[in-house]
Amino acid sequence: MTTNVIKDKNSGTDYDLEEEIDSHLRHIFYIKPKESATCNPYIVEFFGVLSLNDLRAPERKLWVIYYCKQPELDKTVDEIHQKYGKKNMFDLYRTPVFSGAALRAAVKKHFSELKWFTTGNLLEAPPKSHFNDERVVKTITDLHHLEQQRLYNYVMVKNMWFARYK
């Protein structure tokens, strides 16, 4: 649809036909109304993991997880480097995601069920754990794949539901 704005001469306010149609369609199909804050769909959100080496206790296995939008990526990584030290860490995993907060919650939940210490954005493997960087990346990749599969299944179910009631 085009975004034509028609000026109502009687009231002096703008009338947006597309917004009116959108609100009616959302009401008909039971879709939640739009939030007032609009987001740019072209800004990608990233999820990442940094491997952290603790110099005071080298037997500890630590990882830092983060998520942010693309313009804030360098700033976020720099803040993490400032907090934990640039020499002690390296970028292990970074991928664009649909929702970084959801993936972060899934990762924290998975590792806390494995009896890991999860405080804030820090993941710590228990002592004498068999996890290393490769296993952590594989586990997070599997969790990301499950998240994508859930989103795909949701979209396909909604598509079939709308196709059935056309």
Side-chain angles (χ1 to χ4, degrees):
M1 298 180 105
T2 60
T3 56
N4 294 337
V5 177
I6 301 169
K7 183 80 171 175
D8 187 4
K9 295 178 182 174
N10 296 334
S11 65
T13 61
D14 291 336
Y15 176 78
D16 191 0
L17 179 63
E18 185 171 333
E19 187 67 33
E20 185 73 23
I21 291 173
D22 183 51
S23 67
H24 285 295
L25 288 176
R26 287 179 181 279
H27 181 71
I28 290 170
F29 292 113
Y30 302 106
I31 300 174
K32 291 181 182 177
K34 283 186 184 176
E35 294 181 9
S36 60
T38 59
C39 64
N40 187 352
Y42 300 107
I43 296 178
V44 180
E45 191 166 351
F46 280 90
F47 177 83
V49 178
L50 298 168
S51 180
L52 176 62
N53 299 325
D54 192 1
L55 296 177
R56 294 172 286 169
E59 68 276 356
R60 289 177 69 193
K61 299 174 186 173
L62 299 168
W63 293 273
V64 178
I65 57 176
Y66 65 92
Y67 68 94
C68 60
K69 302 247 185 226
Q70 188 174 9
E72 303 159 356
L73 189 61
D74 293 333
K75 179 183 165 199
T76 303
V77 172
D78 287 341
E79 287 174 359
I80 294 172
H81 283 289
Q82 290 264 336
K83 185 173 183 180
Y84 295 107
K86 199 172 232 179
K87 294 179 185 177
N88 303 338
M89 64 178 32
F90 60 92
D91 205 354
L92 190 62
Y93 179 81
R94 184 184 296 175
T95 185
V97 293
F98 178 72
S99 172
L103 185 58
R104 178 183 175 268
V107 167
K108 281 187 71 168
K109 180 182 176 201
H110 176 77
F111 284 117
S112 65
E113 288 173 355
L114 293 176
K115 307 295 186 228
W116 280 36
F117 308 109
T118 56
T119 56
N121 289 338
L122 197 63
L123 302 174
E124 181 179 352
K128 299 178 185 167
S129 173
H130 62 280
F131 270 86
N132 56 10
D133 289 341
E134 290 83 23
R135 283 203 58 161
V136 169
V137 168
K138 183 181 179 336
T139 304
I140 292 174
T141 304
D142 291 343
L143 291 171
H144 181 238
H145 178 70
L146 283 174
E147 189 72 24
Q148 286 180 324
Q149 188 67 38
R150 274 190 225 116
L151 289 171
Y152 175 78
N153 290 342
Y154 176 77
V155 168
M156 291 310 294
V157 165
K158 285 293 188 182
N159 185 25
M160 288 187 321
W161 187 79
F162 282 126
R164 186 178 303 157
Y165 295 106
K166 274 188 177 181

